[in-house]
Amino acid sequence: MDKEQIQAILDNANEEFLERFFETLINEINSDDEPYYKKTRQLLLASLNNDYADDLLIAICGWSLESLIERSQDDN
């Protein structure tokens, strides 16, 4: 999906669609049967290739990659 398509969605989306989209995202994350370690590896690889990976993580969960890593280490 290119930037123009995303901007068109932002310009035209109502709250109901935005709520449904996020609900769909969460449902797909929860129903994905890949082991967490594989998901984490892909997330870290994607973060290496994207200077703005923190923006996406903060939008999804409110935490940056660094904060999530720190929180994960605190649990051990």
Side-chain angles (χ1 to χ4, degrees):
M1 180 168 268
D2 64 32
K3 290 182 181 185
E4 290 81 20
Q5 292 170 307
I6 295 169
Q7 188 61 55
I9 292 168
L10 283 169
D11 292 342
N12 298 303
N14 58 34
E15 285 184 17
E16 183 179 325
F17 169 80
L18 297 172
E19 292 275 343
R20 253 191 345 267
F21 177 85
F22 202 82
E23 185 176 83
T24 300
L25 173 63
I26 297 301
N27 288 340
E28 292 303 319
I29 289 169
N30 289 334
S31 68
D32 185 354
D33 60 357
E34 276 300 308
Y36 285 164
Y37 78 90
K38 287 186 177 183
K39 291 181 186 186
T40 302
R41 183 174 302 281
Q42 290 302 313
L43 181 65
L44 292 172
L45 287 170
S47 295
L48 279 175
N49 296 320
N50 187 329
D51 292 335
Y52 303 103
D54 273 346
D55 294 346
L56 180 61
L57 290 172
I58 290 168
I60 292 172
C61 69
W63 296 92
S64 68
L65 179 59
E66 182 176 0
S67 295
L68 289 167
I69 289 171
E70 288 173 3
R71 290 174 60 86
S72 298
Q73 292 171 337
D74 289 345
D75 290 343
N76 293 324

